[in-house]
Amino acid sequence: MKLREDADKIIEKAIKRVLPDEAVFRALNGKQFGPGKIYVVAAGKAAWQMAKAASNFMGDLIEAGVVVTKYKHVKDIIPQMTCFEAGHPIPDQNSYRGTQAALDLVSHLHKEDTVLFLLSGGGSALFEKPLCSEEELADITRQLLACGADIVEINTIRKRL
């Protein structure tokens, strides 16, 4: 029985180490930031969790941020951040609005400013600024999903669009 208990403890610790908020905390711990303002851009299914961890760790040091995540993944307000819930795996109007908000946020940076860019799985659908029409991108994504294309194949085509 001791072997099973030890295995359970190891598994529990391993899972905790790879959780998005734990990974952000470890990445930020001990980091020094320049004299400029700090902005956060987070995209993906774990974007809210990662941005929340950054906010918990850095607090008022964050000037502003944009979070783009999947529907029903925003759990609460994060101070200084605007959260967008958007379509996944098919981008939608909120995907494009959230992406544009992030681009607007970082469009006036100064060289001493810092952008903390937090990206997780799902970011390729949630963080989109297509060169084709939004409807065309959604249609192509639907077709790729229907024919069984994997994420590498989908992203190979999507990045061209």
Side-chain angles (χ1 to χ4, degrees):
M1 194 59 162
K2 177 79 168 118
L3 182 61
R4 176 61 186 212
E5 291 172 11
D6 290 346
D8 286 345
K9 286 179 186 176
I10 291 168
I11 291 167
E12 185 178 323
K13 284 187 178 189
I15 290 171
K16 185 176 180 184
R17 294 274 299 171
V18 298
L19 291 174
D21 47 350
E22 290 289 324
V24 168
F25 178 80
R26 279 193 320 277
L28 293 176
N29 197 12
K31 294 287 184 209
Q32 298 294 319
F33 295 95
K37 296 177 180 176
I38 299 172
Y39 299 91
V40 173
V41 174
K45 293 179 282 185
W48 183 90
Q49 196 173 355
M50 294 185 303
K52 179 68 173 165
S55 177
N56 288 346
F57 187 83
M58 300 173 76
D60 291 338
L61 295 175
I62 297 172
E63 180 74 16
V66 171
V67 178
V68 186
T69 192
K70 187 176 177 176
Y71 288 108
K72 299 182 181 175
H73 279 53
V74 171
K75 298 173 184 150
D76 201 356
I77 293 170
I78 303 174
Q80 290 95 5
M81 297 198 204
T82 303
C83 296
F84 293 84
E85 290 182 317
H88 180 276
I90 299 169
D92 65 8
Q93 194 61 36
N94 284 340
S95 306
Y96 311 128
R97 284 203 323 250
T99 301
Q100 190 58 54
L103 294 171
D104 292 345
L105 177 71
V106 300
S107 66
H108 299 96
L109 296 176
H110 298 97
K111 66 181 181 179
E112 59 274 351
D113 293 338
T114 299
V115 176
L116 178 60
F117 185 60
L118 305 169
L119 184 63
S120 70
S124 61
L126 293 162
F127 203 65
E128 285 280 357
K129 185 166 176 68
L131 300 173
C132 61
S133 75
E134 297 165 2
E135 296 79 17
E136 187 174 18
L137 180 62
D139 181 52
I140 290 168
T141 302
R142 277 189 204 91
Q143 289 180 52
L144 290 166
L145 291 167
C147 76
D150 65 30
I151 191 63
V152 173
E153 295 165 325
I154 292 170
N155 284 342
T156 298
I157 293 171
R158 208 168 12 197
K159 72 181 174 183
R160 303 280 184 234
L161 302 175

